[in-house]
Amino acid sequence: QVQLVESGGGLVQAGGSLSLSCAASVSMSSIDALGWYRQAPGKQRELVAGIISSGSTNYADSVKGRFTISRDNAKNTIYLQMNSLKPEDTAVYYCKIRLRSGLTLNDFWGQGTQVTVSS
């Protein structure tokens, strides 16, 4: 069973920084794509940052220049460094991985970690 365990959320003042981690129970070599998503109250879940198999990264316009996604293959861990945080960044943050098995793609989600940015 694939497990993703997130950590690093919390309460921070506007302008501050937080670093999120997502430890995966599978080898990074089996991951086709990975990303961080967030969901604020009353809003749909949205992609914050992602890495595809080629290594290319993409970011939501609202976080470009402030957030950085990275991976540590040796630790099977995904990170999201968040700087210059704004109150509108407040949300539950989820990591997601997409595993490829032959022609089949399966998505797995973490349990989520709360990020609250006070003004």
Side-chain angles (χ1 to χ4, degrees), residues 49-64:
I51 302 177
I52 60 175
S53 56
S54 66
S56 297
T57 58
N58 62 293
Y59 296 90
D61 287 343
S62 59
V63 307
K64 283 181 180 177

Side-chain angles (χ1 to χ4, degrees), residues 27-106:
S27 169
M28 287 291 178
S29 62
S30 64
I31 296 176
D32 189 72
L34 55 92
W36 285 96
Y37 291 72
R38 67 186 180 187
Q39 187 166 19
K43 295 187 177 181
Q44 290 188 333
R45 192 172 297 189
E46 62 174 355
L47 174 67
V48 176
I51 302 177
I52 60 175
S53 56
S54 66
S56 297
T57 58
N58 62 293
Y59 296 90
D61 287 343
S62 59
V63 307
K64 283 181 180 177
R66 300 188 298 121
F67 290 11
T68 303
I69 187 172
S70 61
R71 60 194 289 177
D72 186 329
N73 291 343
K75 296 182 178 179
N76 293 334
T77 301
I78 307 159
Y79 302 97
L80 184 68
Q81 177 64 39
M82 304 184 293
N83 298 326
S84 302
L85 283 160
K86 304 175 181 180
E88 51 263 44
D89 295 318
T90 295
V92 178
Y93 283 70
Y94 300 88
C95 65
K96 187 192 85 171
I97 63 173
R98 174 165 290 174
L99 299 182
R100 180 182 295 276
S101 178
L103 297 178
T104 302
L105 296 174
N106 292 295

